[in-house]
Amino acid sequence: DVVGRCIECQVPYDDISGSNLCTVCRDLVLICPKCKKSHHEIHCERHQHLKSYYFTFLERFTMEELQSQHSELQVIHDTCLPARKHKNARRTLRKQLDKLQLRIEELKSGSAEVDRNPKRRCRTCFESEDICDGLCWGFWRTKQTPWNAGEKIEPILGVKVGARVHPGSNWLEVRYGSRYKTNPRLPKIANVEDERVARRELKTGTVVEVKSWASGGDENDCVVVAWDKDSRKVCTPQQEKNENDLPKQAEIYRWGVVARNGQRLYDVVPDSAE
């Protein structure tokens, strides 16, 4: 017997899939294929009140639509009282408000454009549907739709610990943040000239480990990178002390992971690469 119902149309449906996640909290959601096709993003039962105002991917919205979302979310944020009791919800909404404001500023400045027909994206890795079908995490990670086994895949690039790297063409700013040494959108650097340089200078780092991305592909298709410190970034004495006291953060990136379309994905590339 079918024990569940689609969150949208309420027809009997109980097929759980790792590709059907709430865009706010990433909880699993029951949604039938027909309804999923008509929704760019999904909202769970707990976040149905946000389904018209909260979206992870903002590229398809005009400035007026973003401003409307911002106004509505601001009202919801301000009514989450008492603040201490709703601190998690308020924090989530505050982050989204900041994200909306940044996108609005980018559209105003002309540094971004509206895409009314973007490809659906995976809520976990943020890649488009031709690269990831949403089954890139947890139990579903090894069950993702494979590339055509009959097609020839280009060999993976070699990499060793100690290699110097920088963000490559597959780097996703929506997932990893800016590819530049200081964020070109919100610079915190000493002077205007340094800001101009930072806007075009990629950050660099060192590979400290090579391992598997655990996607069923090559054994060494993941690298752990420790990024260089940006000497031009302005910090208060306390911030400087905090940065020095904390261990250097290393992060993992794809190195030749094979996508659904047969393309090898490199989040970072060697410094010698163009």
Side-chain angles (χ1 to χ4, degrees):
D1 293 339
V2 179
V3 297
R5 291 185 178 276
C6 170
I7 188 74
E8 293 294 334
C9 67
Q10 298 300 305
V11 300
Y13 188 78
D14 61 1
D15 186 7
I16 297 176
S17 172
S19 64
N20 298 333
L21 302 177
C22 173
T23 197
V24 181
C25 64
R26 294 189 67 244
D27 276 356
L28 291 165
V29 180
L30 287 176
I31 185 169
C32 69
K34 182 179 178 180
C35 288
K36 181 178 180 179
K37 198 171 183 180
S38 62
H39 290 74
H40 273 274
E41 299 183 37
I42 308 169
H43 296 75
C44 67
E45 185 174 0
R46 186 159 58 100
H47 292 119
Q48 283 293 294
H49 66 294
L50 299 177
K51 66 183 298 184
S52 298
Y53 318 119
Y54 190 110
F55 302 94
T56 300
F57 307 109
L58 304 178
E59 62 266 28
R60 62 192 176 96
F61 298 107
T62 64
M63 190 185 306
E64 292 72 22
E65 290 170 332
L66 294 172
Q67 290 171 335
S68 176
Q69 291 174 26
H70 191 283
S71 298
E72 295 293 341
L73 287 180
Q74 187 67 63
V75 171
I76 296 173
H77 173 275
D78 294 344
T79 55
C80 286
L81 298 171
R84 179 173 295 181
K85 182 178 179 181
H86 299 280
K87 63 180 181 179
N88 289 336
R90 288 170 66 90
R91 184 187 302 115
T92 297
L93 292 171
R94 185 71 259 161
K95 288 181 178 179
Q96 184 67 9
L97 287 167
D98 291 343
K99 183 178 176 180
L100 284 165
Q101 188 59 45
L102 178 59
R103 177 66 178 175
I104 291 169
E105 291 173 2
E106 289 175 339
L107 290 176
K108 284 182 178 179
S109 68
S111 61
E113 296 181 353
V114 178
D115 181 0
R116 297 302 275 178
N117 295 294
K119 293 179 181 178
R120 182 187 296 275
R121 291 185 178 275
C122 170
R123 179 59 181 84
T124 300
C125 70
F126 296 171
E127 290 287 5
S128 57
E129 59 188 350
D130 60 322
I131 291 177
C132 178
D133 59 5
L135 304 178
C136 61
W137 67 282
F139 168 81
W140 294 273
R141 191 163 188 168
T142 59
K143 299 180 180 297
Q144 184 162 187
T145 305
W147 63 91
N148 188 336
E151 295 181 2
K152 185 177 180 180
I153 304 299
E154 65 181 18
I156 192 170
L157 297 176
V159 63
K160 296 180 179 179
V161 171
R164 298 287 294 165
V165 296
H166 62 265
S169 59
N170 298 128
W171 180 275
L172 284 176
E173 292 202 348
V174 68
R175 182 180 184 185
Y176 300 128
S178 175
R179 65 181 65 221
Y180 297 96
K181 283 191 174 181
T182 47
N183 192 324
R185 296 174 296 188
L186 296 172
K188 293 182 178 179
I189 41 187
N191 56 53
V192 174
E193 184 56 35
D194 278 347
E195 178 181 336
R196 289 174 181 159
V197 172
R199 286 180 186 276
R200 58 179 180 271
E201 189 171 349
L202 293 172
K203 63 181 181 179
T204 54
T206 302
V207 174
V208 295
E209 184 181 355
V210 181
K211 58 182 183 178
S212 171
W213 188 256
S215 60
D218 299 83
E219 288 187 6
N220 297 318
D221 56 2
C222 170
V223 292
V224 183
V225 177
W227 295 106
D228 299 343
K229 182 178 178 181
D230 185 0
S231 60
R232 292 174 310 214
K233 187 174 181 180
V234 174
C235 297
T236 65
Q238 185 59 49
Q239 289 172 330
E240 185 73 26
K241 181 178 183 303
N242 291 342
E243 286 192 7
N244 292 334
D245 289 345
L246 291 173
K248 197 167 189 178
Q249 183 68 39
E251 300 171 340
I252 63 171
Y253 300 95
R254 297 169 300 184
W255 184 274
V257 172
V258 181
R260 294 177 67 199
N261 58 5
Q263 174 190 0
R264 284 200 182 274
L265 304 177
Y266 295 91
D267 292 328
V268 296
V269 294
D271 278 358
S272 57
E274 292 295 330

